[in-house]
Amino acid sequence: MENIKNIFLIGMMGSGKSSIAKILSKKLDMQLCDTDNEIETLCEMSINEIFDRYGEEKFREMERRYFIEMAKQDNIIFATGGGVILNQDSRQALVKNGLTFFLDTSIDVLLHRINNSSNRPLFANYNKSKVLSNLFNDRIKYYKSSCHFTIHTDLLSLNDIASQIINKYKNES
Ligand code: S3P
């Protein structure tokens, strides 16, 4: 990477991407892009409705297109959707267009955080622990190959995580 432009947060649903991106955006005075929120605004539909009406494949296509376009810009903090790494072009953008942090959170903590979440269509299943473990096992290779740094988040506060990211970002700039 020649010069660092953006900060990308990747990781499973419930790993804290949106909350940490908000803190980073304030502390670094950089624009925030929470891709799920932006896609919801553009489509005038919730992620649940998009999945219901068009299916996961169509959502992935919207996510890829939106993300690739936005990632060409500079000085943005991105909270990505948990599945952004499923697409090869998006993985390439994560590696080349900024500094990418993988928020690595254990299944137990993820489960605790999103157990009652109603806006995560992939999670609307009775065996939530199994769903999460399967998704994580399928994706871990992509999370690892798409990031520059991994942060193990279980024992850290949101502010601690944000501080670690800011330190690494400043060291690399
Ligand atoms: C998804 C994660 C969600 C959202 C969609 C699919 C996934 O985003 O993009 O429900 O495949 O992991 P969050 O990671 O922000 O929950």
Side-chain angles (χ1 to χ4, degrees):
M1 195 169 21
E2 279 149 31
N3 56 349
I4 296 165
K5 301 186 295 180
N6 297 310
I7 294 180
F8 299 106
L9 304 184
I10 61 173
M12 293 284 286
M13 46 187 127
S15 58
K17 293 165 292 181
S18 298
S19 310
I20 295 163
K22 271 188 209 151
I23 300 175
L24 292 173
S25 161
K26 277 199 194 118
K27 289 200 172 175
L28 292 170
D29 195 20
M30 283 165 72
Q31 188 188 329
L32 172 67
C33 176
D34 189 315
T35 60
D36 280 349
N37 289 348
E38 301 297 336
I39 291 169
E40 286 183 325
T41 304
L42 282 172
C43 295
E44 296 180 346
M45 263 185 256
S46 68
I47 299 291
N48 265 340
E49 286 170 320
I50 298 172
F51 268 68
D52 280 351
R53 195 181 289 193
Y54 301 111
E56 180 175 350
E57 205 176 315
K58 185 86 182 154
F59 169 74
R60 296 294 172 209
E61 179 55 19
M62 290 178 194
E63 183 180 47
R64 181 191 71 81
R65 281 185 187 209
Y66 179 76
F67 179 67
I68 296 288
E69 263 328 287
M70 286 303 291
K72 289 179 186 160
Q73 298 184 35
D74 290 346
N75 295 313
I76 301 179
I77 311 279
F78 285 86
T80 62
V84 72
I85 41 74
L86 296 173
N87 179 271
Q88 194 183 353
D89 296 337
S90 302
R91 293 199 293 272
Q92 209 175 10
L94 288 166
V95 174
K96 292 200 166 157
N97 294 14
L99 204 60
T100 298
F101 294 86
F102 167 37
L103 306 182
D104 192 1
T105 308
S106 69
I107 300 293
D108 281 350
V109 172
L110 294 176
L111 200 55
H112 184 71
R113 285 203 194 131
I114 63 178
N115 212 359
N116 296 317
S117 162
S118 60
N119 62 350
R120 289 184 164 110
L122 292 179
F123 200 55
N125 184 301
Y126 58 95
N127 195 342
K128 295 180 171 173
S129 171
K130 186 95 186 129
V131 171
L132 270 185
S133 313
N134 287 345
L135 281 178
F136 186 77
N137 290 337
D138 289 347
R139 292 175 176 184
I140 182 71
K141 59 181 179 293
Y142 295 135
Y143 287 132
K144 287 198 168 162
S145 65
S146 307
C147 77
H148 303 98
F149 294 102
T150 296
I151 301 190
H152 297 281
T153 66
D154 281 7
L155 302 176
L156 299 174
S157 69
L158 295 176
N159 278 318
D160 288 342
I161 297 167
S163 298
Q164 285 201 13
I165 292 173
I166 290 171
N167 286 341
K168 292 207 158 57
Y169 181 72
K170 290 194 168 156
N171 278 342
E172 299 284 327
S173 302

